Amino acid sequence: SAIMLAAAIQLSSVPEQATNLRAAYDWLARARSAGASLIVLPELFPSYGDLELAAKQAEPIDGALISGLREWTARQGVWLVTGSFAEFDPATTAVYNTSLLIDPRGAIAARYRKRHLFNIDLNAATRCSEGDVFTPGDALTCVTTTAGTLGWGICFDLRFPEQFRALSRAGMEILLAPSAFTE
């Protein structure tokens, strides 16, 4: 069987999308030049730290953010997992924390919407409520590719093992779990 190099990009994303996109494209280029053919970005890489701002910047899948990543991926001929981004669904006006798999031709091969949203409210200084801005997804995602059979979770989903048991039963060989943890 063929050997594939995968790259997991780690960013310290900030609320400003332009800053994060510059860093992401720089690291994508570095990963590709190192020979990676499967590249994974982190959770909410375009805008992190202010969930309300991230939701306000939400884009549909055919928006500029994903279109740019699809073009880059097609030029490079790699598999790209978009980590996650705030997806605006024009049909329902809901905003999801969404991860996409883009194939080497630039086509969207899979979509996963985070199912388990992180909500904690201990005090004014320790509060994070993804449920205030995101709608939970309701489906598992498992897809067979030349890279193997990929299954998804995003960050807090990791706390719910039944999701991964179900993905394993569906044939998952590689778990994708883009994450961004709070301080």
Side-chain angles (χ1 to χ4, degrees):
S1 68
I3 294 175
M4 175 191 302
L5 181 64
I9 295 176
Q10 301 296 314
L11 298 174
S12 293
S13 292
V14 295
E16 295 76 30
Q17 193 171 53
T19 300
N20 300 325
L21 291 179
R22 279 192 300 275
Y25 277 107
D26 179 53
W27 283 106
L28 286 169
R30 289 180 189 203
R32 184 61 186 134
S33 68
S37 54
L38 171 64
I39 306 172
V40 183
L41 287 163
E43 179 185 22
L44 294 176
F45 81 93
S47 181
Y48 187 75
D50 182 338
L51 293 176
E52 288 185 17
L53 178 61
K56 285 179 187 169
Q57 295 173 341
E59 292 186 22
I61 286 180
D62 62 358
L65 173 70
I66 298 305
S67 295
L69 289 170
R70 290 177 68 185
E71 291 169 12
W72 183 89
T73 303
R75 282 194 311 273
Q76 300 303 316
V78 298
W79 290 94
L80 176 65
V81 177
T82 63
S84 78
F85 67 101
E87 174 205 355
F88 175 74
D89 182 348
T92 64
T93 70
V95 176
Y96 296 92
N97 186 345
T98 299
S99 182
L100 301 175
L101 174 66
I102 302 173
D103 76 15
R105 298 176 327 249
I108 295 172
R111 176 180 69 190
Y112 172 72
R113 291 172 168 167
K114 186 174 184 179
R115 297 175 67 217
H116 302 96
L117 302 179
F118 181 67
N119 299 306
I120 186 170
D121 191 356
L122 298 178
N123 54 50
T126 310
R127 183 176 193 287
C128 178
S129 185
E130 291 179 344
D132 288 350
V133 297
F134 294 115
T135 298
D138 61 2
L140 297 176
T141 299
C142 193
V143 62
T144 300
T145 72
T146 57
T149 302
L150 311 177
W152 270 259
I154 297 175
C155 203
F156 194 57
D157 284 331
L158 290 169
R159 299 287 185 173
F160 300 87
E162 195 53 42
Q163 176 167 331
F164 304 101
R165 286 186 193 105
L167 288 168
S168 181
R169 286 190 299 272
M172 176 184 68
E173 298 170 309
I174 300 169
L175 168 62
L176 302 167
S179 300
F181 293 94
T182 61
E183 291 181 24

